[in-house]
Amino acid sequence: MPPLHLTFACGDYDRTRALAEGAVRADGIDLTYLRLPVEETFFRMMRHQEFEVAELSLSSYVLSLRADPAPFVALPVFTSRMFRHGALYCHADSGICRPEDLRGKRVGTPEYQLTACVWMRGILADRHGVPVDSVSYLTGGQETPGRIEKAGVDLPDSLSISRIPEDRTLAAMLAEGEIDALCTPRVPSPFAAGDPRVRRVFPDVIAAEKEYYAATGIFPVMHVVVIRRDVYDRHRWVAQSLYKALLAARDAAYENLYDTSALRFMLPWLTPQLEEARALLGRDYWSYGVEGNREALETFLRYHHEQGLSSRRWRPEEIFAPESLESAVI
């Protein structure tokens, strides 16, 4: 039989590059890898289900589970993980000198349901005394007007959420002081340009994130890989085949990253930084699967529920393809 042809939309990552270039192949699958920006992949998958396999925001995926049947089945493959204390910015004259000062402020967010923002709202509530309902949220395009929630949300009345004017952007509103702060996974253009009116809420991001990890043991999960439901229902074996291949591609990236003969990326102290990350987070710091990530997944699913995005609190085992949760041993 010919291999099953599938299209996989995903970012351009070291941990998936061996799969994109064909150095690693998924058993029984002829994979077309589309390197796309994450916002485009997420929008096209959530709105139109264009790809058989795709990288997807963890929050958007959990939102999709409310449908019956759910349109996607996820693998515990985390194409993006990132500490997000650096995702909080504020206007210099907002009166925000520490995270606790966000209470009562106007905080922009491109979409309320963004995974990075779910994490930071939860962390602010858990660790900095900023309850989710103590902030007024404004949503809209960060750099281009007109962005909408890619996944419809039905939020409790206790939350104050409004859209910014259709001709405005969150980046401009932050620079001009029309909002006090901005929570976003992408660096806002005024900050990138060195505008003194915009600064980070956590001035020493690395120190804050190391302290957070030391206290919690959590390296936040941002994205998962999903299979479209119709493909999964017809070919259940695809889940295990893709999971094995994605593990192999990640392992190849681990090995290549520690090649000291020449720098693979344009970071002068890449090797010492890798060694520091391993010392702090463990050698398998970018782990896949549920067991090594249970605390992170349970925490995120709690945040998602507490913030009004899911009607019940999911358990990690419920949200992934069962074929990806176990494997044969000899």
Side-chain angles (χ1 to χ4, degrees):
M1 291 180 62
L4 179 66
H5 180 78
L6 299 177
T7 299
F8 179 27
C10 190
D12 184 13
Y13 305 126
D14 60 347
R15 48 214 172 263
T16 57
R17 191 160 299 138
L19 200 58
E21 295 175 350
V24 168
R25 301 184 68 85
D27 296 337
I29 297 173
D30 177 16
L31 200 67
T32 296
Y33 192 111
L34 298 180
R35 294 178 173 93
L36 297 174
V38 292
E39 292 92 345
E40 180 178 349
T41 297
F42 297 171
F43 183 86
R44 292 171 66 178
M45 196 62 167
M46 288 298 293
R47 303 287 281 193
H48 305 294
Q49 301 180 28
E50 292 185 43
F51 316 110
E52 287 89 3
V53 185
E55 174 183 23
L56 196 63
S57 149
L58 177 58
S59 177
S60 296
Y61 171 64
V62 176
L63 271 172
S64 78
L65 296 175
R66 64 190 172 184
D68 187 17
F72 313 115
V73 178
L75 304 176
V77 168
F78 311 123
T79 47
S80 176
R81 311 182 69 130
M82 197 168 180
F83 295 104
R84 286 300 191 183
H85 292 68
L88 280 171
Y89 303 84
C90 64
H91 189 271
D93 295 330
S94 63
I96 298 170
C97 300
R98 54 185 188 146
E100 290 79 359
D101 296 332
L102 286 163
R103 288 192 297 267
K105 299 297 186 180
R106 299 160 298 166
V107 179
T109 178
E111 297 178 41
Y112 181 79
Q113 63 89 32
L114 291 182
T115 303
C117 300
V118 173
W119 273 112
M120 280 316 303
R121 287 192 297 265
I123 290 169
L124 288 168
D126 274 0
R127 299 179 56 79
H128 298 282
V130 185
V132 174
D133 61 2
S134 70
V135 168
S136 297
Y137 303 98
L138 296 94
T139 66
Q142 177 175 314
E143 307 294 340
T144 305
R147 181 167 176 171
I148 61 172
E149 296 273 358
K150 69 178 71 65
V153 294
D154 184 16
L155 300 171
D157 293 338
S158 60
L159 297 176
S160 172
I161 302 178
S162 58
R163 286 189 54 75
I164 63 174
E166 291 299 317
D167 62 344
R168 301 289 285 147
T169 67
L170 291 169
M173 292 177 72
L174 179 65
E176 294 166 17
E178 296 176 66
I179 57 175
D180 301 301
L182 175 62
C183 184
T184 173
R186 284 195 179 269
V187 177
S189 53
F191 184 86
D195 191 326
R197 297 175 296 174
V198 176
R199 56 179 174 80
R200 281 197 166 103
V201 172
F202 291 90
D204 190 339
V205 169
I206 294 176
E209 293 173 347
K210 285 181 177 178
E211 187 276 332
Y212 169 77
Y213 182 80
T216 66
I218 293 174
F219 182 16
V221 169
M222 295 291 143
H223 304 166
V224 293
V225 170
V226 301
I227 305 167
R228 210 171 58 205
R229 169 69 65 177
D230 62 303
V231 175
Y232 174 76
D233 286 344
R234 287 199 307 269
H235 309 287
R236 295 289 290 264
W237 57 270
V238 162
Q240 181 67 219
S241 186
L242 284 171
Y243 184 63
K244 287 166 54 181
L246 285 157
L247 277 173
R250 183 212 59 181
D251 290 347
Y254 267 146
E255 183 176 350
N256 291 335
L257 195 59
Y258 205 49
D259 179 358
T260 60
S261 61
L263 286 175
R264 185 165 291 268
F265 299 100
M266 294 183 292
L267 293 171
W269 294 282
L270 174 63
T271 301
Q273 288 171 348
L274 173 60
E275 291 169 342
E276 181 185 20
R278 286 178 167 180
L280 290 172
L281 281 67
R283 293 187 67 83
D284 190 17
Y285 59 88
W286 206 288
S287 61
Y288 291 170
V290 168
E291 286 311 317
N293 296 284
R294 181 171 294 280
E295 184 67 23
L297 292 167
E298 287 181 345
T299 299
F300 179 83
L301 294 170
R302 172 170 65 87
Y303 289 166
H304 205 264
H305 177 57
E306 289 174 350
Q307 293 173 31
L309 288 164
S310 43
S311 59
R312 72 177 180 91
R313 185 170 164 181
W314 294 91
R315 293 182 294 109
E317 291 86 354
E318 295 180 280
I319 69 172
F320 296 110
E323 296 87 355
S324 66
L325 301 179
E326 58 183 4
S327 58
V329 296
I330 299 174

